[in-house]
Amino acid sequence: MLMTKTPTEAEIAGKLQRLSQLRAAIGQAIVGQDEVVEQLLIGLLAGGHCLIEGVPGLGKTLLVRTLGQALSLDFRRVQFTPDLMPSDILGTEVLEEDHGTGHRHFRFQQGPVFTNLFLADELNRTPPKTQAALLEAMQEHQVSYAGVTHALAEPFFVLATQNPLEQAGTYPLPEAQLDRFLLNIRVGYPTAEEERAILALTTGGTIEAPKAVMTGADIVELQKWVRQAHVSDGLLTWITRLIRATRPGPDAPSAIQDYVRWGAGPRAGQALVLAAKARALLHGRLAATREDVVALAAPVLRHRILLSFAAEAERKTTDDVVAALLAALPAPARD
């Protein structure tokens, strides 16, 4: 495996300036939601996928489409429904005939997953059979059909949405699939000022599509830089302790013993390290800090912790548990 050369300060400054331009381009169509946009970019830079939760009408689809336009990436959206089949996502084989020779052969026709940005809208509205069709694509960046493996384009970024309120007629995502999402991003209501700005922006003239400020090649290069970002031994030890402390046991913090039925696995630790590295790069640093870990602990862990009935009875959320975990295991002193 070839090692990527360490970027120079000039290269970092140039890419960071373009990342700032990218955030500004997204801001032309998206009002507010700064934290959501940052977490979305962190997921992209870390090479992971994001699960976006929010009620309808908060601009989730517009956000993803705007990101694709600003990055000059191919974007596909699929509305997941109860009758959606795996072949509707992955593709299927079609029988073709050569009119000259009369020879017939099967040709694989690619589905919408063969793209750079794939929006799985309301993923929990389709049965597990179709939900599972995305697993190989998300983990391996490839699709297997009829014994043949088809590679996906890079970068490949899955964003799935689900409505956290409406549960009738839905199929909860299995833990194995939830674990494939790097971040669980919560989209809340805008502030009064932001909502007024949204009304003014969307009810006037035509909104111009943002100009492309980066390419897919730029993102792939930045993803390599993220891998090279530094994490100190002390920070790595603390992240390991945090992840292991989410699992109920005699040595776990009281909040975990009282409210958690099943804790996070090793993939959560990998996600937290990569996300912290990506946030550091987004903020112009080549080394992750404890502030990066604290900022991303909830998005990384909130879909990987299974709460107990006691937590539900006391209206405790996974974010409450993560906050208690961070309080019980404070960050180490700066190196």
Side-chain angles (χ1 to χ4, degrees):
M1 180 178 177
L2 296 176
M3 295 296 293
T4 304
K5 69 180 183 68
T6 303
T8 65
E9 290 185 5
E11 289 174 331
I12 295 172
K15 282 291 192 297
L16 290 177
Q17 182 180 7
R18 297 179 72 179
L19 280 173
S20 298
Q21 294 172 353
L22 174 61
R23 298 183 76 158
I26 295 174
Q28 293 177 7
I30 303 297
V31 177
Q33 303 290 5
D34 294 337
E35 187 174 344
V36 172
V37 172
E38 175 168 292
Q39 291 178 10
L40 196 66
L41 293 177
I42 288 171
L44 180 62
L45 294 179
H49 311 288
C50 296
L51 179 64
I52 306 176
E53 290 189 354
V55 297
L58 295 181
K60 299 185 293 294
T61 302
L62 176 61
L63 174 59
V64 179
R65 182 182 293 112
T66 303
L67 178 64
Q69 292 169 337
L71 290 174
S72 189
L73 295 178
D74 188 25
F75 164 72
R76 303 281 181 87
R77 172 183 177 271
V78 173
Q79 181 68 45
F80 279 66
T81 56
D83 60 347
L84 197 71
M85 299 297 291
S87 58
D88 296 327
I89 303 168
L90 305 180
T92 187
E93 286 189 331
V94 295
L95 182 63
E96 290 187 342
E97 180 177 350
D98 188 325
H99 295 290
T101 63
H103 176 70
R104 295 182 177 182
H105 65 279
F106 284 100
R107 178 181 63 84
F108 179 69
Q109 182 171 315
Q110 296 181 350
V113 76
F114 286 85
T115 186
N116 296 119
L117 297 181
F118 180 76
L119 177 59
D121 220 347
E122 295 189 289
L123 180 59
N124 59 336
R125 287 209 170 277
T126 201
K129 174 182 175 181
T130 306
Q131 291 173 354
L134 277 177
L135 277 173
E136 183 186 10
M138 293 173 64
Q139 186 67 24
E140 308 295 339
H141 290 208
Q142 66 184 28
V143 168
S144 297
Y145 193 95
V148 179
T149 299
H150 306 270
L152 298 173
E154 295 294 344
F156 176 65
F157 191 30
V158 173
L159 297 108
T161 70
Q162 61 180 11
N163 182 349
L165 302 179
E166 189 178 358
Q167 299 301 322
T170 62
Y171 302 85
L173 295 176
E175 282 71 21
Q177 186 152 21
L178 285 172
D179 205 26
R180 261 56 174 199
F181 288 102
L182 185 85
L183 302 176
N184 182 345
I185 302 175
R186 296 272 173 86
V187 182
Y189 287 110
T191 64
E193 293 78 10
E194 290 171 349
E195 192 158 357
R196 184 185 184 282
I198 291 171
L199 296 179
L201 179 67
T202 57
T203 59
T206 303
I207 303 174
E208 293 186 5
K211 295 181 180 179
V213 297
M214 297 183 76
T215 65
D218 292 325
I219 295 300
V220 171
E221 185 177 13
L222 284 169
Q223 289 175 346
K224 295 176 181 177
W225 289 6
V226 166
R227 292 275 178 170
Q228 296 181 74
H230 177 69
V231 175
S232 68
D233 291 338
L235 199 61
L236 197 60
T237 299
W238 181 50
I239 291 173
T240 304
R241 290 182 61 209
L242 284 176
I243 301 305
R244 294 181 63 83
T246 64
R247 304 161 195 166
D251 298 328
S254 58
I256 301 299
Q257 296 185 45
D258 295 339
Y259 301 126
V260 175
R261 188 151 46 108
W262 195 260
R267 191 179 280 120
Q270 296 171 334
L272 190 52
V273 171
L274 281 175
K277 287 183 174 186
R279 186 179 186 273
L281 188 66
L282 198 61
H283 286 258
R285 293 179 273 106
L286 280 178
T289 65
R290 55 183 180 178
E291 286 78 12
D292 298 319
V293 176
V294 170
L296 292 165
V300 167
L301 292 173
R302 63 169 56 117
H303 57 300
R304 292 182 165 98
I305 294 177
L306 190 61
L307 296 181
S308 65
F309 293 112
E312 295 177 9
E314 296 184 30
R315 298 184 180 274
K316 296 291 183 180
T317 66
T318 49
D319 284 13
D320 296 329
V321 172
V322 172
L325 179 66
L326 291 172
L329 297 174
R334 295 181 185 274
D335 293 339

